[in-house]
Amino acid sequence: MTTSSTISRITKRVWTVAILLPASIAMAGVESDYSKSPPPLAPAPWCETPPPFEIRIGIPGWLAGLSGDTGVKGVVSSPDVSFDQLLRHLTHVPIVLSADIRYQRWEFFGDGQYMEVGASATLPGLLFTNANLHLKSGLAEGFLGYRLINCNKAALSLFAGARYSYMGGDLSIFDNGDARLVILRRLLGISKKLDFSGSTGWVDPVIGARGKVKIWKAISLYAEGDAGGFDANSGSAFETHRQGRTLVKTPISSSDWSYQVQGGIEVQLTRSIWSQLGWRYLKYDYVSGGFTNKTALNGPFVQAGINF
């Protein structure tokens, strides 16, 4: 092999290395850039924390039927007004309001209402067979709660507070106008009509829980339950009965308990307007002094409000 051909082959190899070496270095740099690219974004967490501060004001409408035993001065009647009859028995426009304030996980919320209904009842016996009842009832409740779960899609709170209950009644008992009983009533010295009226109010400690879960976009399900009273206002109690011409007070057991459950669906109509449709049940078992309130308020619940 000649010297010139050897030099030619060496020259070609040098040029090949000179051309390929920068290319390989460049490719190595490109691979290094790929290794330094950011990883793909992780999916958003299921629990997104809501804004730290929120205020909700609502106007509730509770078409609550009334049933059970109620009485004043020891005279007990048993009205039964279903929720579909409520509008016919209302004597005044109900007064209602609700408010809910939240900061971080802490909540303060409450509501109140006042309404008056009138009803008639039939009594057992001959001398007094009919009764007219005008019942005034009100409640105002306020609670402090803490959110165990604080997410946009779900929330769960435990709360404690107090419920103020007011009851007033006017009860008229009279006969049905049977002329055969006029002489008997005159001999016994019993008037044709007896009227009883009075009012009372009491405050119960209350504990409970409430929650809400979003099921689709702006639609959520909500539920709440509480128990109160715990015999905090129990004491002496009595009922009134007639023995001959005399009204006699008979001692009875007193009690002070209350239970409430409610739930339904909530719709966020706009960014600032919301509404609720559900059912609410409140049971009283209160007997103290001459007052008896063993009634249940039960019926559909409608509410609309604004949030900021």
Side-chain angles (χ1 to χ4, degrees):
M1 183 179 296
T2 62
T3 303
S4 61
S5 62
T6 301
I7 295 173
S8 176
R9 287 198 301 272
I10 293 173
T11 303
K12 290 180 179 179
R13 291 179 180 176
V14 171
W15 277 107
T16 302
V17 171
I19 294 172
L20 294 180
L21 182 60
S24 63
I25 294 174
M27 290 301 293
V30 172
E31 292 177 357
S32 176
D33 290 341
Y34 278 125
S35 65
K36 294 180 181 180
S37 61
L41 295 177
W46 181 86
C47 181
E48 296 182 3
T49 304
F53 188 71
E54 183 182 21
I55 298 178
R56 289 158 58 97
I57 305 295
I59 304 297
W62 187 16
L63 299 178
L66 176 69
S67 61
D69 297 330
T70 183
V72 295
K73 293 188 176 180
V75 180
V76 179
S77 180
S78 301
D80 188 3
V81 180
S82 61
F83 74 87
D84 58 329
Q85 299 173 333
L86 180 64
L87 296 178
R88 298 199 301 268
H89 290 275
L90 281 174
T91 59
H92 292 78
V93 176
I95 302 172
V96 293
L97 183 66
S98 72
D100 194 325
I101 302 172
R102 180 184 58 81
Y103 176 70
Q104 303 288 4
R105 290 176 177 264
W106 291 98
E107 302 173 317
F108 176 77
F109 59 97
D111 66 280
Q113 76 165 30
Y114 175 82
M115 68 176 183
E116 299 185 15
V117 296
S120 299
T122 300
L123 305 177
L126 294 174
L127 300 180
F128 296 99
T129 58
N130 298 85
N132 287 334
L133 175 67
H134 182 76
L135 183 64
K136 295 169 280 187
S137 65
L139 67 90
E141 49 190 14
F143 307 111
L144 178 65
Y146 182 80
R147 283 194 173 185
L148 302 178
I149 299 175
N150 185 35
C151 306
N152 278 325
K153 294 183 178 180
L156 176 64
S157 304
L158 299 179
F159 61 83
R163 177 184 296 120
Y164 170 77
S165 300
Y166 168 82
M167 183 187 73
D170 300 308
L171 179 63
S172 297
I173 302 176
F174 52 93
D175 74 287
N176 59 7
D178 192 335
R180 296 172 296 176
L181 302 177
V182 174
I183 297 177
L184 177 60
R185 188 182 299 278
R186 187 180 305 160
L187 291 174
L188 295 177
I190 301 174
S191 61
K192 292 179 63 64
K193 182 179 180 181
L194 295 177
D195 294 316
F196 305 89
S197 63
S199 62
T200 187
W202 66 97
V203 178
D204 287 334
V206 176
I207 59 173
R210 69 173 186 167
K212 183 167 64 175
V213 59
K214 185 177 292 186
I215 58 174
W216 184 72
K217 293 185 178 179
I219 300 177
S220 303
L221 297 178
Y222 73 93
E224 180 178 329
D226 64 61
F230 309 104
D231 275 338
N233 295 284
S234 62
S236 60
F238 66 88
E239 286 186 353
T240 302
H241 303 278
R242 177 175 290 277
Q243 293 182 359
R245 301 183 181 183
T246 307
L247 292 176
V248 178
K249 294 181 179 179
T250 303
I252 58 174
S253 298
S254 64
S255 61
D256 178 20
W257 289 85
S258 61
Y259 314 89
Q260 180 174 223
V261 291
Q262 60 177 310
I265 189 170
E266 179 178 312
V267 181
Q268 190 72 37
L269 300 174
T270 68
R271 295 180 64 90
S272 301
I273 300 176
W274 52 273
S275 65
Q276 289 180 338
L277 176 62
W279 200 273
R280 186 174 181 181
Y281 176 87
L282 173 60
K283 178 68 170 67
Y284 284 105
D285 185 358
Y286 177 80
V287 181
S288 182
F291 292 92
T292 298
N293 185 15
K294 292 188 174 184
T295 59
L297 299 173
N298 182 32
F301 181 81
V302 180
Q303 182 170 208
I306 59 175
N307 60 274
F308 350 19

